[in-house]
Amino acid sequence: EEEPPSSGCDYMWMTFLFKGMTFLGVVYKQCTRAKLRLLLIENLPQGFMAVVFLFQAGGSIFVGVMNLGIPTAQIVFAVLFFKTIRGYVSPWFGKKLDAAISGGNVFLEEQLRKDLAIGIRDTDGLENFKQIAPFVGTFTKTFDALKKINELSDEQVQYLQAACEVIT
């Protein structure tokens, strides 16, 4: 069992870091590929129709700008920052997934797998798995190759990804 931090300053820093990672986890969910698809399907047409309504029926230009500007900003943010934010949150998500697997929390494990798309057999799922797997102790104890995952071919990573799903 880990000892608590020795000073109040250490505790405050750890609390801030944890809350920061939680915040980044929420931001990550806002820029995943699934969220991007939802934004493109739902928000962008809705914003466009709000602007059309504004020109037809009149109204506040501010409302029109907000209806088009916010979805556009969300889409641009998701496209530009997805990989960067994924890199920052991968260790944190990996440790959360490891704790869920080790603790037998099947619900949390399934939720994390779904949120991270690490069980999905597409490019995003494979990239997410590559970044998160080295931080999941349950996986790295079983498969040493995961410690050097970036040196493996995509076929080898897919094999390991499937094997990791089987062992949990």
Side-chain angles (χ1 to χ4, degrees):
E1 189 173 319
E2 292 183 34
E3 294 182 23
S6 59
S7 73
C9 183
D10 290 341
Y11 178 75
M12 287 188 326
W13 174 250
M14 289 178 67
T15 303
F16 173 76
L17 183 62
F18 176 74
K19 288 182 180 182
M21 291 309 292
T22 303
F23 174 74
L24 281 177
V26 171
V27 171
Y28 171 78
K29 289 180 182 181
Q30 295 301 312
C31 62
T32 62
R33 297 299 177 225
K35 180 69 172 184
L36 179 61
R37 283 190 291 272
L38 288 174
L39 288 170
L40 290 172
I41 291 169
E42 184 179 340
N43 289 7
L44 199 57
Q46 181 179 347
F48 176 74
M49 293 308 292
V51 171
V52 169
F53 179 79
L54 174 69
F55 285 119
Q56 291 296 321
S60 169
I61 301 240
F62 176 75
V63 173
V65 169
M66 296 307 287
N67 278 323
L68 193 58
I70 290 175
T72 303
Q74 287 177 304
I75 291 167
V76 169
F77 181 81
V79 169
L80 293 178
F81 296 108
F82 172 70
K83 289 183 179 182
T84 303
I85 293 172
R86 181 178 61 190
Y88 285 124
V89 299
S90 292
W92 182 69
F93 273 127
K95 290 173 186 172
K96 276 185 77 167
L97 181 59
D98 187 47
I101 293 168
S102 300
N105 189 339
V106 178
F107 176 74
L108 180 58
E109 177 187 349
E110 288 302 314
Q111 185 64 40
L112 286 168
R113 286 178 183 271
K114 180 182 164 195
D115 289 347
L116 302 171
I118 59 173
I120 296 175
R121 304 283 188 262
D122 66 5
T123 306
D124 284 340
L126 192 62
E127 286 301 314
N128 287 349
F129 181 76
K130 280 182 174 180
Q131 289 201 350
I132 291 167
F135 300 101
V136 182
T138 306
F139 295 167
T140 57
K141 288 175 191 169
T142 308
F143 303 106
D144 283 336
L146 288 174
K147 294 176 183 170
K148 298 179 181 179
I149 197 165
N150 291 326
E151 298 172 9
L152 302 175
S153 70
D154 284 351
E155 293 80 25
Q156 291 171 316
V157 174
Q158 286 174 339
Y159 173 77
L160 287 168
Q161 183 180 17
C164 287
E165 286 179 36
V166 171
I167 66 168
T168 57

